[in-house]
Amino acid sequence: MDAVRLHQSGIGYAVATLGTATTPEHLRRAFRLVREIVFCFDGDRAGRDAAWRALQNALPEATAGRELRFLFLPDGEDPDSLVGKEGRERFEARLGDALPLSEYFVAHLSASIDIRHADGKARFVAEARPLLERVPAGTYRELLLDRLADTIGASAERFLAIIGPME
């Protein structure tokens, strides 16, 4: 119902997957048509879990020239209820404030890991590495690597030395 209500409210570019299962194939198809995708999730625990799964599925499609962002709605709201309360303009303003994939990636990992000490930094790197490997080699991966290095206070060169060679 979310996509239907958004269309009825004048947001004709909204699409939805069945359930919360966005696959890399969905993204490949969408990126044939657009350069930017904003995932929109309910603000509850289930929405945040679905967002993290979507991020993991999106990593193989994260390349330079494409933009993936994440919007989390207030608790108790979903797209159809929120656009009904706030209207199209306010909802679209929220889309503009959505987190870029790189920032959501870092925020999600940092939320559960204390990176103020070496133990936490090591855990952060260990959890980030397999995800980073899923990003295709190229500009976007290099920039994401720089962002992750900055998060733990390391240079990009030091971060690369810590994580070792990637596929």
Side-chain angles (χ1 to χ4, degrees):
M1 289 305 299
D2 291 334
V4 172
R5 177 63 186 258
L6 292 173
H7 279 259
Q8 290 172 340
S9 299
I11 303 173
Y13 48 85
V15 297
T17 58
L18 294 175
T20 58
T22 301
T23 67
E25 180 59 26
H26 290 132
L27 295 169
R28 276 191 288 280
R29 289 176 183 229
F31 277 127
R32 289 182 194 151
L33 303 171
V34 298
R35 292 295 211 189
E36 176 186 16
I37 294 174
V38 179
F39 291 103
C40 182
F41 294 98
D42 299 353
D44 60 12
R45 175 73 179 182
R48 293 198 176 273
D49 290 347
W52 187 244
R53 285 190 306 274
L55 176 136
Q56 292 177 51
N57 285 328
L59 291 174
E61 300 305 316
T63 61
R66 293 178 172 176
E67 191 170 350
L68 291 149
R69 295 186 299 136
F70 292 78
L71 173 63
F72 295 96
L73 301 180
D75 283 340
E77 298 290 353
D78 54 27
D80 66 326
S81 66
L82 197 58
V83 77
K85 288 179 185 175
E86 294 183 347
R88 181 183 61 82
E89 293 82 14
R90 179 65 189 119
F91 190 85
E92 288 183 321
R94 286 179 181 275
L95 293 174
D97 294 335
L99 284 174
L101 182 144
S102 59
E103 295 308 307
Y104 175 51
F105 186 110
V106 168
H108 182 86
L109 289 180
S110 299
S112 62
I113 301 171
D114 184 355
I115 58 172
R116 294 176 296 172
H117 50 76
D119 298 337
K121 289 177 183 182
R123 182 172 161 219
F124 181 90
V125 170
E127 291 193 22
R129 187 181 197 286
L131 297 168
L132 189 58
E133 282 184 323
R134 297 182 65 192
V135 177
T139 303
Y140 188 79
R141 183 199 269 185
E142 294 299 318
L143 293 170
L144 183 55
L145 190 143
D146 288 347
R147 179 65 180 95
L148 293 167
D150 185 57
T151 300
I152 64 166
S155 68
E157 295 79 20
R158 180 73 180 132
F159 191 81
L160 272 173
I162 293 168
I163 64 170
M166 289 190 296
E167 297 176 14

